[in-house]
Amino acid sequence: MIPWRSLIESCFFYTHIDGMFVMNTSQENKNIAKRYYPDLKLIIDGEYISRDGNPVINPSTGEAIAEVPFATIADLEKSVDAASKGFLEWSEMSPAKREGLMRDAASILRDRSDEIAQSITLEQGKPVAQSKVEIQRACEIIEWDASEGRRTYGRVIPSQMPLTHTVLRKPIGPVAALSPWNFPINSPGRKVAGALAAGCSIILKASEETPAGAFELVRAYHDAGVPPGVVNLIFGVPAEISEFLINSDITRLITFTGSIPVGKHLAALAAGQMKPTIMELGGHAPVLVDEAVDPVEVAKTCAIGKSRNAGQVCVSPTRFLVHNRIYDRFLDSFVEQANSLKVGDGFGDGIEMGPVANERRLNAMQEFINDATDKGATLSAGGHQIGNQGYFHEMTVLADVPDNARVANEEPFGPLAIVNKVASMDDAINVANKLPYGLAAYAFTNSAYVAEQLAHRVESGNLSINHLVASVAETPFGGIKESGYGREGGTEGLDCYTIVKNISHLTSTV
Ligand code: NAD
């Protein structure tokens, strides 16, 4: 007997195939959510707590897939008390034991990565393959930080006996962390790994829009045997929670990833309490392209890099500053690659770019594009929303964008690239440094001299030459200028979670 019903249903798995746009049905998305999306809870002092909250929206369909619980004031009070208790236990545990527990958490995440990737794609929209890479990166960071936590050495400063000076590096205390929606597991993963490796406890307020990544992260730490109270997870009204956590006597450090205006607001609140902060804020990454590179190949690499996470990355390459001798060939190749990207639901085969994460980003794209074209920019590719289900947007290329266009000055945080001409690499450096951002920068050149010039003169916390990877677990990542301060990753990242204490000891009383 032919199973007609399932045959018909399978034919409708991908209902919309229009050029390079591929979509699952809304029913198929619902089935995936039912099978994989976790039953979201707050996790405080090891307890899983249900509360009413807000819907979580799937950006591919615009439909609700779950409800994220919102913490009450009593929950917030409980979370700081738990972190205080957790800090005493965790900071006194041997670094070797802490490393073992953190590595066990990473193993659990690796074992669960196929399922977690489905949830991340459901809530954030990126293709499943990119969700898997994100989980893998989170695990690499946990493992690297876990090992490095055993090497937070102090110093002994030579002095006149019987006096000794010893510098200790101690965990700073309970940390309040606020993470965004663009990397649901990697962004909170970095914050939790850094804090735990240094011996701190943490209260994580992760994004209400993409809560499953953080939920799975914290669940893995608990399943690995990290004591209750060491890692606490809450959601709720962001402004209320951040104010509560910053004003609490228990928290000793605030770490935030998000937009510059929110970062400035939180830094000001923390200053009122004289609390240190780590601020990982927005960027507007320039890509400086020298005349002697292969414009076709470099442009392909750049267009693919721009499409990662639909451009919603603080280090996304955005301002392509291309030497005028190769400009036309670079632009043609970039446009060709942009037009050939396979866009659609993150569950579709071979999808390279998913939807933007929410309606705010979709509207922002349209506003940036209209403003730039009104002011004289050329729309070389894309420019429009795709379909009317979910939040899909074409990869958009704007050429010859004037300085007064909004997108030339404000981070687009979406699938939008600016490709402009420069007369020389000196010119490119001046344009790159003109904005108040300073997170990531990229360059393509075959000249060692130019590379050295760039290394010294481009104003950014990270510069990658001839590739588009801004950071790995063992390197420090963070910004200068309005892109923030403090670092995540590398030994510098762990230093941010410690204090330095100098012990001066006269070893004899006579
Ligand atoms: P937004 O400024 O409204 O919010 C940014 C983030 O901050 C969100 O996660 C939000 O929940 C949180 N937030 C807002 N007010 C807060 C408060 N008072 N206390 C604590 N948290 C608060 O912007 P958006 O529309 O969500 O995102 C777009 C902009 O955010 C982008 O232009 C980009 O600059 C920035 N962003 C940056 C990163 C990054 O990795 N640096 C990540 C996500 C968003």
Side-chain angles (χ1 to χ4, degrees):
M1 196 177 81
I2 299 174
W4 289 108
R5 197 175 156 72
S6 65
L7 186 64
I8 290 166
E9 274 174 5
S10 70
C11 291
F12 282 92
F13 261 26
Y14 299 103
T15 51
H16 184 140
I17 302 181
D18 175 13
M20 300 307 287
F21 183 53
V22 181
M23 273 296 300
N24 267 15
T25 62
S26 135
Q27 186 55 49
E28 174 62 0
N29 268 271
K30 280 186 188 142
N31 292 344
I32 298 171
K34 205 164 154 197
R35 183 148 173 222
Y36 295 108
Y37 204 78
D39 183 13
L40 297 166
K41 311 258 194 227
L42 310 173
I43 307 179
I44 303 174
D45 205 9
E47 199 186 325
Y48 287 65
I49 302 168
S50 300
R51 294 278 179 257
D52 291 339
N54 271 11
V56 180
I57 305 295
N58 176 347
S60 286
T61 61
E63 293 172 351
I65 43 175
E67 190 172 89
V68 55
F70 273 27
T72 62
I73 291 292
D75 293 329
L76 299 183
E77 280 162 356
K78 192 170 165 184
S79 72
V80 289
D81 288 345
S84 176
K85 182 195 73 169
F87 177 68
L88 289 180
E89 186 172 354
W90 188 251
S91 59
E92 287 183 6
M93 190 183 279
S94 81
K97 191 163 178 204
R98 291 197 300 243
E99 179 192 15
L101 290 170
M102 290 180 69
R103 283 184 169 278
D104 288 349
S107 298
I108 290 171
L109 284 177
R110 285 187 194 281
D111 289 347
R112 295 177 182 167
S113 63
D114 284 347
E115 291 79 23
I116 299 174
Q118 310 285 320
S119 293
I120 289 178
T121 293
L122 277 167
E123 66 184 9
Q124 201 272 341
K126 68 186 61 156
V128 174
Q130 289 184 26
S131 297
K132 285 187 186 165
V133 171
E134 184 183 333
I135 299 163
Q136 205 178 310
R137 290 266 159 84
C139 292
E140 286 163 10
I141 288 167
I142 295 170
E143 288 159 352
W144 193 86
D145 280 4
S147 297
E148 196 58 24
R150 296 179 70 171
R151 290 185 280 271
T152 43
Y153 303 124
R155 275 188 305 148
V156 175
I157 296 170
S159 62
Q160 176 72 58
M161 281 305 280
L163 183 67
T164 64
H165 295 302
T166 311
V167 179
L168 302 182
R169 266 206 178 270
K170 306 278 291 170
I172 194 167
V175 172
L178 304 141
S179 64
W181 45 262
N182 55 340
F183 287 99
I185 197 162
N186 196 19
S187 184
R190 268 184 164 160
K191 295 183 188 304
V192 175
L196 264 54
C200 301
S201 59
I202 191 163
I203 306 140
L204 169 65
K205 189 216 77 73
S207 167
E208 291 71 28
E209 290 172 291
T210 58
F215 176 79
E216 293 292 7
L217 174 80
V218 176
R219 189 162 78 93
Y221 276 112
H222 282 102
D223 291 352
V226 169
V230 176
V231 190
N232 304 281
L233 175 67
I234 53 176
F235 303 103
V237 179
E240 286 174 11
I241 295 188
S242 56
E243 203 168 327
F244 180 93
L245 293 178
I246 291 170
N247 287 332
S248 158
D249 290 340
I250 289 171
T251 60
R252 296 292 173 84
L253 169 75
I254 313 301
T255 169
F256 172 72
T257 297
S259 64
I260 292 173
V262 176
K264 285 181 176 174
H265 169 68
L266 298 181
L269 284 180
Q273 303 295 323
M274 204 51 82
K275 280 189 193 171
T277 58
I278 301 169
M279 287 286 156
E280 205 272 84
L281 307 177
H284 202 308
V287 184
L288 300 82
V289 186
D290 202 1
E291 60 185 311
V293 302
D294 178 338
V296 175
E297 287 309 312
V298 170
K300 274 189 199 158
T301 303
C302 288
I304 292 167
K306 179 75 232 179
S307 70
R308 188 170 76 94
N309 210 19
Q312 302 162 117
V313 189
C314 50
V315 297
S316 186
T318 295
R319 290 180 290 150
F320 296 88
L321 309 172
V322 185
H323 198 287
N324 56 21
R325 291 215 179 104
I326 56 164
Y327 180 81
D328 290 342
R329 280 186 292 153
F330 182 94
L331 179 61
D332 288 349
S333 171
F334 198 110
V335 166
E336 192 184 335
Q337 187 63 42
N339 286 335
S340 70
L341 281 173
K342 199 165 171 186
V343 182
D345 189 307
F347 297 106
D349 265 356
I351 288 296
E352 293 167 296
M353 189 171 89
V356 293
N358 52 49
E359 209 166 352
R360 296 193 303 283
R361 294 322 313 147
L362 198 58
N363 296 337
M365 289 308 102
Q366 284 308 303
E367 285 166 19
F368 281 128
I369 294 162
N370 294 341
D371 170 77
T373 49
D374 285 351
K375 288 176 178 153
T378 305
L379 182 61
S380 300
H384 306 100
Q385 181 179 357
I386 307 176
N388 56 9
Q389 178 190 304
Y391 313 126
F392 292 92
H393 198 279
E394 291 173 322
M395 169 60 86
T396 297
V397 182
L398 289 167
D400 299 319
V401 178
D403 283 354
N404 65 346
R406 274 185 55 206
V407 72
N409 300 284
E410 295 170 41
E411 180 183 29
F413 220 67
L416 207 174
I418 296 170
V419 184
N420 275 5
K421 275 190 202 98
V422 288
S424 64
M425 290 306 264
D426 266 346
D427 188 15
I429 293 170
N430 291 336
V431 177
N433 289 345
K434 230 167 37 183
L435 298 189
Y437 301 91
L439 188 56
Y442 308 92
F444 288 85
T445 180
N446 289 318
S447 158
Y449 173 76
V450 170
E452 267 311 288
Q453 288 291 311
L454 296 168
H456 290 284
R457 290 174 52 202
V458 173
E459 294 174 353
S460 62
N462 297 74
L463 170 68
S464 302
I465 302 175
N466 295 335
H467 70 95
L468 293 175
V469 178
S471 70
V472 292
E474 54 268 48
T475 57
F477 172 69
I480 60 168
K481 296 160 78 175
E482 293 204 3
S483 292
Y485 47 77
R487 292 293 179 265
E488 293 191 317
T491 52
E492 293 83 355
L494 290 200
D495 286 351
C496 293
Y497 292 95
T498 65
I499 50 154
V500 167
K501 187 171 186 179
N502 183 50
I503 310 298
S504 185
H505 185 181
L506 191 56
T507 55
S508 165
T509 52
V510 288

